[in-house]
Amino acid sequence: MSGSVIIAGLGPGASQWITPEVAAALDQATDLIGYAPYVARVPLRAGVERHGSDNRVEIDRAQHALRLATEGRRVVVVSSGDPGVFAMAAAVFEAVDHGDPAWRELDIKVLPGISAMFAAAARVGAPLGHDFCAINLSDNLKPWPLVEQRLHLAAQAGFVIALYNPLSKARPWQLGRALELLRNELPGTVPVIFASAVGDAREAIDIVSLSDADPQRADMRTLLLIGSVHSRLIERAGGAPPFVYTPRSIGATA
Ligand code: SAH
């Protein structure tokens, strides 16, 4: 039997955000590989080997998946959100690129998922309605000055910015520094959305202005959306949170 590696996105937390395509792949798997909390999100099924691991060993995990596939196993590597956004798909291809030439001949597929930025945006309205970018605030895999340069340029270019991995125990100051930098580039009135644990019971969404954005509000399961000068709030009566959207057209002449 020939093996395969499927790299599947589980979405940001809720099982209704797992696509039918991913659910079918999970049903066929002989082995599940991924960061332990993500593997734990997949319902138990008899006969499936679960290989949960620490979050930091992505390349080891990718190589493990590829080795199992060469032994004929049907391996599903799980990521949260979309597997191509700051997640396992790139790690698997990096392992293939630099690894055993036989791995290139394996059946390898990526199944998309709902990324945290799309789930967070949907909760508040349509903040990603115009041009936007996504920046991973972690400086584990790139130097911090590069993060700062990208934040500067993204703000100057007028992108709405999705910020992934805003902080961790090992990276306590980076988000504060990023917000300070953005306050130098953008008016304090632009909306900032803190979206935490979107899709599970602890979900919390806050809409504040950039001048009021407090880095302490974020944790490891928070995604930030930094609006642009064109992003707008639609206030609502009765204590309902405002809608946030960014208009489709900016300065276009018909
Ligand atoms: N592949 C994932 C991102 C992995 S990086 C995706 O496409 O969503 C991990 C970061 O994603 C977290 O630090 C956080 O910024 C964001 N994230 C993941 N799940 C989230 C959720 N349920 N709610 C809010 N942010 C989330």
Side-chain angles (χ1 to χ4, degrees), residues 3-22:
S4 58
V5 176
I6 289 180
I7 310 124
L10 297 177
S15 56
Q16 80 266 20
W17 283 337
I18 295 180
T19 66
E21 182 183 42
V22 168

Side-chain angles (χ1 to χ4, degrees), residues 66-128:
L66 291 158
R67 274 194 298 270
L68 286 171
T70 57
E71 292 162 15
R73 315 281 299 175
R74 285 188 307 276
V75 185
V76 177
V77 179
V78 291
S79 273
S80 79
D82 181 89
V85 177
F86 310 134
M88 280 306 294
V92 170
F93 289 113
E94 200 176 325
V96 171
D97 197 8
H98 301 293
D100 183 343
W103 290 348
R104 294 170 185 232
E105 312 315 321
L106 284 168
D107 177 10
I108 302 175
K109 282 198 190 72
V110 182
L111 306 185
I114 298 174
S115 192
M117 65 182 159
F118 300 130
R123 285 293 197 244
V124 298
L128 304 179

Side-chain angles (χ1 to χ4, degrees), residues 8-13 18 26 32-43 50-55 58 61 77-82 85-88 165 220-221:
L10 297 177
I18 295 180
L26 293 170
L32 289 181
I33 293 195
Y35 176 43
Y38 302 154
V39 171
R41 277 174 50 193
V42 179
R50 300 160 82 89
H51 313 264
S53 62
D54 182 80
N55 204 11
E58 289 192 343
R61 207 188 284 153
V77 179
V78 291
S79 273
S80 79
D82 181 89
V85 177
F86 310 134
M88 280 306 294
N165 280 308
M220 279 177 70
R221 293 202 63 216

Side-chain angles (χ1 to χ4, degrees), residues 163-246:
L163 284 183
Y164 283 76
N165 280 308
L167 51 80
S168 71
K169 285 199 187 79
R171 295 183 294 105
W173 55 265
Q174 282 82 343
L175 178 60
R177 175 75 198 103
L179 290 170
E180 200 179 291
L181 182 158
L182 291 168
R183 281 193 273 265
N184 290 331
E185 301 285 349
L186 295 166
T189 50
V190 306
V192 171
I193 296 136
F194 287 85
S196 303
V198 180
D200 79 28
R202 285 154 303 164
E203 175 172 315
I205 313 262
D206 290 312
I207 302 166
V208 299
S209 65
L210 178 58
S211 51
D212 289 340
D214 175 4
Q216 309 277 1
R217 163 64 184 75
D219 63 17
M220 279 177 70
R221 293 202 63 216
T222 302
L223 177 106
L224 276 86
L225 293 171
I226 315 285
S228 75
V229 290
H230 300 288
S231 301
R232 297 182 55 79
L233 256 59
I234 302 176
E235 298 293 351
R236 293 191 290 164
F243 292 122
V244 185
Y245 79 103
T246 310

